[in-house]
């Protein structure tokens, strides 16, 4: 159902229908400013279980609870630790998830048995209105099959979940394109688990003690035992084999792509505008490719917001066009570039 402009009567009616489905224990995909989420009433254990089933998500990977007001926040947390306050003040509503001490009202299934709950107040007006109309916080992971790229448009949600969910609120493409930043504010020093559009550098200005979680911090743990379970996994992956590279690794990446294509693979390129090197049509690696590659014009190489917004759509479109191997350059490890890099490195894991 379309619910993209809140000022049309049809859209308002559709949102009321979606909220009624949520209140009755249904599961509904909806837009946020980052990616589409698959929502359920956060206090309804049976409804939340259906979200895990629809996504084929393992029960050890906790969900983020989406709220529309500070009253909602009070219902899902036990208390607000001191370092959380300036972050809430500065970045909510918006693409920042805080791990906070959970209240007893939040069922264990939502937090995968953890004592913290991930909470975020989205800024997307449709998401906010839907939560208000549902009159309950909404637990929602990204609306994709577990492990695949997050959906930035309703058609991508349907690609993965058609027939497995009760409704989808279609509000066009999402504006930011990659998932929220995740920060744990319960310990002595806040830890950034997942980089996002709110950058490490921005949070550091308010939290001098912020540290960056590195995968190998947890290497010995099983998936379910990790501090933030979804973080260290192969994730966000297209169906094609994804090969990512820094400038220095360009020649090696093209060599692997050549070999795979010579064996009958179809090459797709995530091609940023203004990125020189091997992606130039007259460069040697490009001219000697066994066949003409499929090209997705990703965006301006210098514009990390545009690259973030178009990243997942590009991977999905190359998949849909038949690419079996995708080559993609890695942005520099700073600001929003760090978030894009994080997703690409995880998506490229074998
Ligand atoms: O932008 C977003 O965050 C999107 C939109 C829909 O809000 N949601 C999203 O959810 O990306 P999901 O489930 O795909 O990713 C949430 C990540 C997972 O890696 C999960 O392990 C981690 O956050 N997480 C959630 N709650 C947690 C908790 N209590 N402790 C540790 N990690 C948690
Ligand atoms: Mg996800």
């Amino acid at each position: 159902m379309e619910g993209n402009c809140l000022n049309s009567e049809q859209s308002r009616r559709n949102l009321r229908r979606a909220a009624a489905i949520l209140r009755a224990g249904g599961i509904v995909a909806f837009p946020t400013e980052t990616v589409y989420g698959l929502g359920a009433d956060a206090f309804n254990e049976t409804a939340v279980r259906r979200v895990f089933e629809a996504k084929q998500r393992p029960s050890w990977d906790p969900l983020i609870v989406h709220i529309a007001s500070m009253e909602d926040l009070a219902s899902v947390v036990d208390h607000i630790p001191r370092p959380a306050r300036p972050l809430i003040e500065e970045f909510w509503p918006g693409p920042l998830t805080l791990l906070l001490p959970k209240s007893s009202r939040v069922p264990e299934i939502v937090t995968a048995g953890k004592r913290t709950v991930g909470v975020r107040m989205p800024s997307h007006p449709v998401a906010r209105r839907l939560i208000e109309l549902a009159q309950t916080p909404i637990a929602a992971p990204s609306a994709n099959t577990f492990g695949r790229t997050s959906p930035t448009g309703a058609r991508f949600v349907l690609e993965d979940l058609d027939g497995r969910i009760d409704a989808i609120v279609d509000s066009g493409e999402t504006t930011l394109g990659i998932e929220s930043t995740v920060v744990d504010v319960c310990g002595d020093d806040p830890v950034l688990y997942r980089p996002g559009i709110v950058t490490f550098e921005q949070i550091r200005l308010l939290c001098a003690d912020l540290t960056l979680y590195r995968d190998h911090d947890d290497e010995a743990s099983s998936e379910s035992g990790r501090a933030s379970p979804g973080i260290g996994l192969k994730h966000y992956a297209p169906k094609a084999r994804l090969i990512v590279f820094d400038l220095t690794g360009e020649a090696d990446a093209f060599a692997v792509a050549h070999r795979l294509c010579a064996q009958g693979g179809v090459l797709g390129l995530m091609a940023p505008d203004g990125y020189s090197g091997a992606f130039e049509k007259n460069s040697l690696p490009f001219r000697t490719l066994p066949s003409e590659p499929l090209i997705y014009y990703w965006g301006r190489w210098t514009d990390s917001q545009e690259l973030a917004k178009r990243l997942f759509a590009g991977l999905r479109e190359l998949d849909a066009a038949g690419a079996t191997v995708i080559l993609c350059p890695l942005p520099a490890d700073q600001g929003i570039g760090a978030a894009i890099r994080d997703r690409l490195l995880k998506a490229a894991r074998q």
Side-chain angles (χ1 to χ4, degrees), residues 35 55 57 141-144 146-148 150 179 194 235-236:
V35 300
K55 272 192 65 122
R57 181 180 179 108
S142 51
N144 50 279
F146 184 69
R148 289 212 62 212
S150 296
E179 310 83 350
R194 181 171 72 181
H235 227 95
Y236 318 111

Side-chain angles (χ1 to χ4, degrees), residues 241-261:
R241 161 94 182 267
L242 176 65
I243 302 170
V244 296
F245 57 89
D246 282 307
L247 259 184
T248 51
E250 206 179 67
D252 289 346
F254 264 78
V256 176
H258 267 262
R259 184 167 46 74
L260 293 171
C261 291

Side-chain angles (χ1 to χ4, degrees), residues 15-172:
L15 268 189
R16 285 197 297 273
R17 281 170 60 202
I21 295 171
L22 286 167
R23 274 207 307 277
I27 56 175
V28 175
F30 64 99
T32 79
E33 68 278 24
T34 57
V35 300
Y36 275 70
L38 176 60
D41 175 351
F43 296 135
N44 181 335
E45 202 177 315
T46 315
V48 173
R49 182 164 301 115
R50 285 192 57 208
V51 168
F52 278 91
E53 284 163 8
K55 272 192 65 122
Q56 297 164 272
R57 181 180 179 108
S59 58
W60 43 254
D61 198 1
L63 307 187
I64 295 171
V65 174
H66 297 67
I67 57 169
S69 66
M70 294 310 272
E71 289 77 60
D72 287 344
L73 178 63
S75 69
V76 296
V77 304
D78 178 72
H79 64 276
I80 303 175
R82 194 184 39 80
R85 292 183 184 277
L87 299 178
I88 289 174
E89 186 88 356
E90 181 72 19
F91 297 114
W92 279 8
L96 175 68
T97 295
L98 296 174
L99 303 186
L100 298 163
K102 94 185 230 337
S103 78
S104 56
R105 275 191 76 189
V106 178
E108 299 260 306
I109 185 170
V110 171
T111 61
K114 290 188 177 295
R115 298 202 343 231
T116 58
V117 57
V119 187
R120 115 172 167 87
M121 188 188 283
S123 61
H124 196 298
V126 170
R128 296 285 291 283
R129 191 73 192 122
L130 181 65
I131 302 165
E132 281 164 11
L133 289 168
Q135 296 172 337
T136 179
I138 304 291
S142 51
N144 50 279
T145 306
F146 184 69
R148 289 212 62 212
T149 48
S150 296
T152 53
R155 66 185 189 286
F156 300 133
V157 176
L158 291 180
E159 220 173 77
D160 283 15
L161 300 177
D162 198 10
R164 310 176 72 93
I165 60 180
D166 298 317
I168 171 165
V169 178
D170 180 355
S171 182

